[in-house]
Amino acid sequence: MLRLVQPMPWALSILLTVGLTGCASEANPVTEVTDADVVGSWRAGDAPADFELVVLADGTYHAEQWPLNLACGVPQAKSAADVSWDDTVSLEGRWVLHEGSGASMTIFFPSEVCSGYSPSASLFIEGDGRLTLNFYLEVPDFVDSTTTVVFYRDSR
């Protein structure tokens, strides 16, 4: 079950300000999420066809063609345009969900490949009802989406 964050009245003016200053898409943070909500195949918006993040119901994942500079190698990409889809690695490991004011999913990278780093992706629901995983490359900036890599569940 997915549950959206319900904005408080004082937060309405903040949301309107963000909306009027150029937010790329209408998306709401998710507070409650189940494992079944995230299980499936995910793709990043600008990724080549051979990229795939597969989240399995048993708490594991595998990723084909994961960019090394997307939370894995050094130096890290600072913007979505900097993500190198040509320098990639295949990964597998486990994942876990976190609920709260904004739900997230942590992907545990294998230490022998990515120095044990474990990135978290925030979960959002877009205006059309699609769940997204949002990987922040820098401190989250909800007005500027250039520092966020968004993953969508594959509908093929």
Side-chain angles (χ1 to χ4, degrees), residues 80-115:
D82 293 338
V83 173
S84 175
W85 296 101
D86 295 325
D87 190 14
T88 63
V89 65
S90 293
L91 303 170
E92 58 184 40
R94 60 186 185 84
W95 60 271
V96 65
L97 289 176
H98 310 281
E99 293 184 327
S101 60
S104 65
M105 182 172 96
T106 299
I107 297 173
F108 297 95
F109 284 164
S111 60
E112 63 275 4
V113 178
C114 295
S115 302

Side-chain angles (χ1 to χ4, degrees), residues 19-144:
L20 294 173
T21 56
C23 186
S25 67
E26 303 250 346
N28 293 300
V30 175
T31 57
E32 293 180 15
V33 64
T34 66
D35 290 358
D37 294 326
V38 297
V39 168
S41 177
W42 295 82
R43 298 193 181 276
D46 293 336
D50 55 355
F51 169 80
E52 183 175 46
L53 169 64
V54 178
V55 177
L56 302 169
D58 67 358
T60 64
Y61 74 89
H62 61 88
E64 300 299 325
Q65 304 300 315
W66 185 276
L68 278 171
N69 71 343
L70 179 56
C72 181
V74 175
Q76 295 293 314
K78 300 290 185 197
S79 73
D82 293 338
V83 173
S84 175
W85 296 101
D86 295 325
D87 190 14
T88 63
V89 65
S90 293
L91 303 170
E92 58 184 40
R94 60 186 185 84
W95 60 271
V96 65
L97 289 176
H98 310 281
E99 293 184 327
S101 60
S104 65
M105 182 172 96
T106 299
I107 297 173
F108 297 95
F109 284 164
S111 60
E112 63 275 4
V113 178
C114 295
S115 302
Y117 184 73
S118 302
S120 288
S122 295
L123 292 149
F124 284 82
I125 293 181
E126 294 204 340
D128 62 4
R130 289 186 302 169
L131 184 67
T132 64
L133 296 173
N134 296 270
F135 287 88
Y136 298 110
L137 303 173
E138 296 265 275
V139 174
D141 180 351
F142 297 108
V143 177
D144 183 2

Side-chain angles (χ1 to χ4, degrees), residues 6-23:
Q6 297 298 317
M8 297 170 61
W10 58 267
L12 186 57
S13 63
I14 294 171
L15 290 173
L16 287 174
T17 301
V18 170
L20 294 173
T21 56
C23 186

